[in-house]
Amino acid sequence: MYDSQTCEYPCGSARKVSPYFIFFILAMVVSFIGLGILRLYSNRLEARLHAINLQIESYEMQETEMHRVLSSLTSPEAIYGYSQKKLGMVANVKTGVVHVARIPALKEEMEVASIASSHGWNLLFSLFSSPATAKD
């Protein structure tokens, strides 16, 4: 059996705890709580970053698909096929290319310049009097 008489402690055996030790223990507890909060916050940020990366990949796939569709719609073969099948257009085989060669005559240019200077409308007339040219 347990004998309570033999386990007596002397009355004056109470230990004093240093205030620095209490401050140290309190600082450690606060530090561990802070580290736990930072870990939870980093997990939350990592989840948000993962969701944003998934959105970016989704948008990149959509952009690639849109570029593919756009290139198929703007290709000359697709336009030609669409115009024939859907719009009923036919190719005109009677068309040809007209090449116009212009040799400027000095006499005509001098007449235009003399008319422009005689009326005093030099600036206005020079804006509208430039001859048209056709290039091959």
Side-chain angles (χ1 to χ4, degrees):
M1 287 253 188
Y2 182 73
D3 188 6
S4 63
Q5 301 293 335
T6 58
C7 293
E8 272 186 23
Y9 291 109
C11 293
S13 69
R15 290 186 172 188
K16 285 189 168 184
V17 179
S18 172
Y20 295 116
F21 182 72
I22 293 174
F23 178 74
F24 176 74
I25 296 296
L26 189 61
M28 292 297 289
V29 168
V30 169
S31 297
F32 284 131
I33 291 173
L35 287 174
I37 290 172
L38 283 176
R39 179 68 180 154
L40 291 174
Y41 183 66
S42 69
N43 283 342
R44 183 173 162 254
L45 287 178
E46 186 177 349
R48 285 179 57 196
L49 180 63
H50 182 68
I52 289 172
N53 283 336
L54 288 177
Q55 281 182 342
I56 290 172
E57 289 177 11
S58 170
Y59 291 143
E60 286 175 348
M61 289 174 53
Q62 286 178 359
E63 181 185 14
T64 304
E65 180 65 21
M66 288 176 153
H67 278 294
R68 188 188 65 76
V69 169
L70 178 66
S71 65
S72 69
L73 290 175
T74 57
S75 69
E77 295 85 16
I79 294 172
Y80 183 74
Y82 181 82
S83 64
Q84 280 186 338
K85 292 176 185 173
K86 301 283 183 169
L87 302 176
M89 300 175 95
V90 294
N92 188 0
V93 293
K94 297 180 182 178
T95 58
V97 178
V98 177
H99 296 282
V100 178
R102 182 181 182 277
I103 302 173
L106 291 175
K107 184 177 180 185
E108 291 176 6
E109 290 178 6
M110 294 178 120
E111 289 176 5
V112 168
S114 66
I115 292 173
S117 63
S118 66
H119 291 292
W121 296 88
N122 291 338
L123 180 62
L124 182 61
F125 191 76
S126 66
L127 292 175
F128 300 103
S129 67
S130 62
T133 60
K135 296 181 180 179
D136 291 334

